[in-house]
Amino acid sequence: MDSNNTDNGRKIILMCGFDEAGRGPLAGPVTAGAVILPPDFPITILNDSKKLSPKKRASIEPIIKEKSCWGLGIVDQKKIDEINILQASLLAMKLAFDDMMKKLPDFLKANNLSLDTIEIQGMTDGTFCPNVSISCSCEPKADAKYPAVMAASIIAKEERDRIMIAYDKLYPQYGYAKHKGYPTPQHKKICREIGASPIQRQTFSY
């Protein structure tokens, strides 16, 4: 249900959107966002994070964080190697949900809602749902359809980009600020020439 304030006669349904960033890279963490948007959120500013320019994403992220109930989850490369990237992505979503739930009371108060009057339903981009304490559905390309998932994709992407830019300062020879750890020809070439960096995913081939 793509509505934050649909009354089914008993409860007001709030959609919690989930999305991750960083499943494909050869290095660095996977990040995830969980977001509940308020009824008055300006959803026309949203889109799938991959379809927004870095400048546009950067301008939207603070609006999401100011107005919505949101959380972030981060799973590093060591855990990715340990449990695989799919499980790490789902874990990051669960961590994001747990982080978001800490902020839920203040969000409900600000929007004149209460736990007694709402029901949270999750929507995840992809084909798997995280292990969270709410009913959750998954849908491929949900990040292009549901505003809450779009918002989650934006905060996940922005957070991961910040992390990779910080790593670029530690390991400048790898070019993380430019490619963010994705398997570009230049990234794979430098790994073959000088070896893996400390944030390389050892279970990913390059």
Side-chain angles (χ1 to χ4, degrees):
M1 183 178 298
D2 189 23
S3 175
N4 277 7
N5 59 349
T6 299
D7 194 333
N8 65 2
R10 294 168 297 175
K11 299 279 189 177
I12 296 172
I13 305 299
L14 300 180
M15 175 181 284
C16 174
F18 294 94
D19 202 7
E20 52 72 30
R23 284 191 64 171
L26 306 178
V30 60
T31 59
V35 176
I36 298 173
L37 297 175
D40 61 348
F41 191 88
I43 60 173
T44 56
I45 69 173
L46 298 172
N47 203 339
D48 174 5
S49 64
K50 296 183 291 295
K51 297 179 180 178
L52 296 169
S53 68
K55 183 177 180 180
K56 188 67 173 176
R57 281 198 309 268
S59 70
I60 296 171
E61 184 196 27
I63 300 173
I64 296 170
K65 290 184 172 181
E66 176 188 355
K67 295 181 176 294
S68 72
C69 188
W70 61 275
L72 277 166
I74 303 169
V75 175
D76 68 18
Q77 67 280 351
K78 292 182 180 179
K79 192 67 174 181
I80 292 170
D81 286 334
E82 178 186 336
I83 63 175
N84 77 48
I85 186 58
L86 171 59
Q87 295 305 318
S89 297
L90 295 174
L91 175 58
M93 291 182 193
K94 182 184 186 305
L95 295 173
F97 177 79
D98 293 344
D99 183 40
M100 182 199 73
M101 290 299 288
K102 296 174 185 176
K103 305 166 186 174
L104 185 63
D106 288 341
F107 173 80
L108 294 178
K109 183 178 180 181
N111 288 276
N112 298 312
L113 298 169
S114 69
L115 286 172
D116 295 333
T117 61
I118 61 104
E119 177 183 341
I120 302 172
Q121 296 181 357
M123 175 58 70
T124 306
D125 180 52
T127 54
F128 295 91
C129 290
N131 182 21
V132 291
S133 59
I134 59 171
S135 173
C136 192
S137 301
C138 53
E139 187 175 319
K141 307 298 183 183
D143 54 358
K145 183 176 180 181
Y146 299 99
V149 181
M150 296 175 190
S153 76
I154 290 168
I155 65 169
K157 173 64 174 169
E158 285 295 292
E159 181 67 16
R160 190 177 188 281
D161 282 359
R162 277 191 291 269
I163 292 170
M164 297 308 295
I165 290 169
Y167 276 134
D168 183 74
K169 295 177 181 178
L170 293 175
Y171 315 112
Q173 62 270 45
Y174 289 90
Y176 290 135
K178 183 177 180 180
H179 54 66
K180 309 301 188 296
Y182 280 88
T184 64
Q186 295 83 0
H187 184 196
K188 291 190 284 187
K189 183 174 183 288
I190 193 68
C191 287
R192 289 193 296 265
E193 289 179 350
I194 67 173
S197 80
I199 64 163
Q200 213 74 30
R201 299 176 184 178
Q202 299 300 321
T203 52
F204 284 52
S205 61
Y206 53 85

